[in-house]
Amino acid sequence: MVSHQAKVVLVSAIASGQGKTTTTAALARKLVRAGQRVRVFKTGPDFIDPMLLERACSHAVLSLDLWMVGHAASQALLAQAAMEADVILIEGVMGLYDGQPSSADLARAFGVPVLAVLDASAMAQTVGALALGLRDYGPVHLAGVIANRIASAGHAQMVAEAMRDIPLIGTLSRQEQTLPERHLGLVLPDEVSQLDTILDQLAEQLQLDMQAFAALPLTTFSIPETVIENSTPLAGKTIAIARDAAFAFIYPANLLCLQQAGASLVFFSPLADQAVPDSADAVYLPGGYPELHAERLSQASTWKTSILAHHAAGKPVYAECGGMMALTETVCDQQGLSWPMAGLLPGTVTMQKRLTALGPQYLSTSDGELRGHTFHFSSFNTSLTAATHAVKQRDAQQGEAVYQVGNLRASYFHAYFPSHPAAMARLLLGEAL
């Protein structure tokens, strides 16, 4: 078994909102500018943070997760990255110990040290107490701390003195220009003007103890000996995938999985009123932000006519979350305005002020579990009866409804295709699950 080594750290925090993504992006860009080969991963299900982190390091950012991705597949991804990189950064999810499995579980599973990002804007010495608690609760190998939103050199010194035997590896000053957010997370990178300039500024503001960072240990990874699945259930099939600002939530691993299953991929933009390509054997409508573009989508007559014709011809459609929303009769946006959509699914989607669903779920199929997650701020009021339901990973209770109309399947559930390629193929081809 061939092994590979790299300097690896998992960037985590006590909670969301501490600045993990900003700090990870700043660290990645700083190391790249210093001539290091950097790869970045994101823990757990996420679409937007990986897009930003990809801009910071100039390489695709894939997911790591002991449940959704799996231990063996995560290990293989890390081993592959170690072949190509000097430094691997893994951005955690929520707080270090949140979730089952948590970021801490991932760090321990692969012997990866943790770098804690702590917001010091409203404290000084107490940062030390938080760091000690993060280290000892699990415990984890806490390699050091990056203190975020530091006000001055004196502030940084007080934090450093309170850390005891935990190194203060870096500080990031309070940012005048931050990365904007909206209801599902950060704003999409292509919507942020001068994003590369902001990333360069963050890299410059990050005061990194290069000697302490260089002293972090190397981690060794071996590619696991697993059975390689050579089946190509989508051989000869062309999958048309919606991809634009309204339909941007696509795991890079999902696209690779489709190709490895034998599919040819073509992309089109409903937002630009492009028709479903005539060559399409099936359509995949991923999630995104259709509610932000509801007026344009409501006027996209070419797109709507083409998806209706595709469905009428009995060809499969698979739509998840935002993709499902675009196929309903009506979307009611954040301002309370209603917009007509494609109308393949009877009912109305209404945006809510609060998160309505969050967490890992799976579809139980005859081939096994197709894993994924749900995360949305809307509700769907429909006369349809669910054909089946996803299952919540945490307690095995009923999860998101999966609706079926002819050869159309739609759900708020986001599937991670590599978790079960055979089940994914059944879903996309409209076959019985």
Side-chain angles (χ1 to χ4, degrees):
M1 185 179 294
V2 180
S3 298
H4 305 280
Q5 286 188 322
K7 192 178 300 297
V8 188
V9 292
L10 186 142
V11 183
S12 192
I14 61 169
S16 299
Q18 296 288 296
K20 292 192 303 292
T21 303
T22 297
T23 302
T24 305
L27 180 56
R29 181 58 68 94
K30 192 175 193 74
L31 293 171
V32 167
R33 292 175 62 177
Q36 297 286 295
R37 298 175 301 162
V38 180
R39 298 292 184 273
V40 183
F41 290 94
K42 172 64 183 177
T43 306
D46 199 308
F47 297 105
I48 303 176
D49 288 3
M51 296 182 202
L52 173 72
L53 296 170
E54 179 177 341
R55 290 286 289 271
C57 71
S58 300
H59 286 277
V61 174
L62 303 179
S63 301
L64 292 180
D65 184 90
L66 293 176
W67 182 77
M68 186 179 79
V69 179
H71 187 285
S74 294
Q75 181 179 329
L77 290 171
L78 286 166
Q80 179 65 37
M83 291 174 58
E84 305 166 350
D86 303 304
V87 178
I88 298 173
L89 306 178
I90 306 169
E91 186 196 339
V93 61
M94 298 183 291
L96 178 59
Y97 295 102
D98 295 327
Q100 297 175 342
S102 66
S103 298
D105 292 328
L106 183 73
R108 287 192 291 258
F110 299 113
V112 172
V114 174
L115 192 59
V117 176
L118 297 176
D119 180 358
S121 60
M123 67 183 80
Q125 288 88 347
T126 303
V127 172
L130 294 175
L132 290 167
L134 283 177
R135 181 191 67 185
D136 298 340
Y137 177 82
V140 294
H141 174 198
L142 187 63
V145 167
I146 293 181
N148 189 25
R149 304 184 182 113
I150 289 291
S152 65
H155 186 194
Q157 183 63 31
M158 286 188 286
V159 170
E161 291 171 353
M163 301 294 293
R164 298 184 183 175
D165 59 338
I166 299 174
L168 181 63
I169 288 180
T171 61
L172 191 59
S173 59
R174 292 177 180 172
Q175 298 100 45
E176 295 182 3
Q177 190 171 15
T178 59
L179 298 167
E181 298 187 21
R182 59 163 63 105
H183 53 280
L184 290 177
L186 295 171
V187 169
L188 297 178
D190 288 343
E191 300 177 66
V192 182
S193 62
Q194 299 180 319
L195 176 58
D196 286 301
T197 299
I198 295 174
L199 290 170
D200 285 336
Q201 290 173 348
L202 289 171
E204 291 170 2
Q205 292 170 5
L206 176 60
Q207 299 299 309
L208 188 66
D209 185 336
M210 294 303 293
Q211 185 174 0
F213 190 83
L216 294 175
L218 295 176
T219 304
T220 301
F221 299 100
S222 300
I223 297 179
E225 296 178 356
T226 55
V227 177
I228 298 175
E229 184 174 339
N230 294 315
S231 64
T232 53
L234 297 178
K237 301 295 184 181
T238 297
I239 309 298
I241 303 174
R243 185 165 67 175
D244 54 30
F247 305 94
F249 294 174
I250 307 175
Y251 291 117
N254 277 14
L255 300 182
L256 180 60
C257 185
L258 289 169
Q259 292 171 324
Q260 290 174 337
S264 297
L265 308 184
V266 293
F267 298 91
F268 70 104
S269 170
L271 201 55
D273 200 16
Q274 294 176 352
V276 172
D278 292 335
S279 61
D281 295 298
V283 171
Y284 171 29
L285 300 177
Y289 283 118
E291 68 273 18
L292 299 180
H293 307 278
E295 182 175 8
R296 283 181 63 188
L297 287 172
S298 71
Q299 298 168 357
S301 57
T302 300
W303 137 249
K304 290 198 285 187
T305 299
S306 70
I307 193 65
L308 290 171
H310 178 94
H311 181 256
K315 295 182 178 181
V317 180
Y318 170 58
E320 54 187 22
C321 204
M324 179 183 73
M325 292 167 63
L327 298 182
T328 63
E329 291 177 312
T330 307
V331 166
C332 184
D333 66 17
Q334 293 93 330
Q335 288 72 44
L337 300 175
S338 295
W339 305 100
M341 293 289 110
L344 285 173
L345 296 168
T348 298
V349 169
T350 304
M351 297 304 300
Q352 308 295 321
K353 294 182 179 180
R354 294 182 176 85
L355 190 66
T356 56
L358 169 67
Q361 299 190 9
Y362 64 89
L363 277 179
S364 183
T365 78
S366 58
D367 293 305
E369 292 179 4
L370 180 62
R371 298 181 174 185
H373 78 287
T374 184
F375 182 39
H376 55 95
F377 275 76
S378 67
S379 60
F380 180 33
N381 183 19
T382 180
S383 59
L384 288 171
T385 300
T388 187
H389 285 84
V391 181
K392 296 180 181 179
Q393 177 256 350
R394 182 178 180 181
D395 56 14
Q397 296 299 304
Q398 180 175 286
E400 296 290 0
V402 179
Y403 302 104
Q404 184 163 0
V405 177
N407 243 4
L408 160 66
R409 282 197 179 104
S411 177
Y412 275 118
F413 171 73
H414 291 273
Y416 182 75
F417 292 171
S419 67
H420 209 306
M424 169 274 296
R426 287 178 176 273
L427 194 65
L428 281 170
L429 296 177
E431 298 175 353
L433 296 176

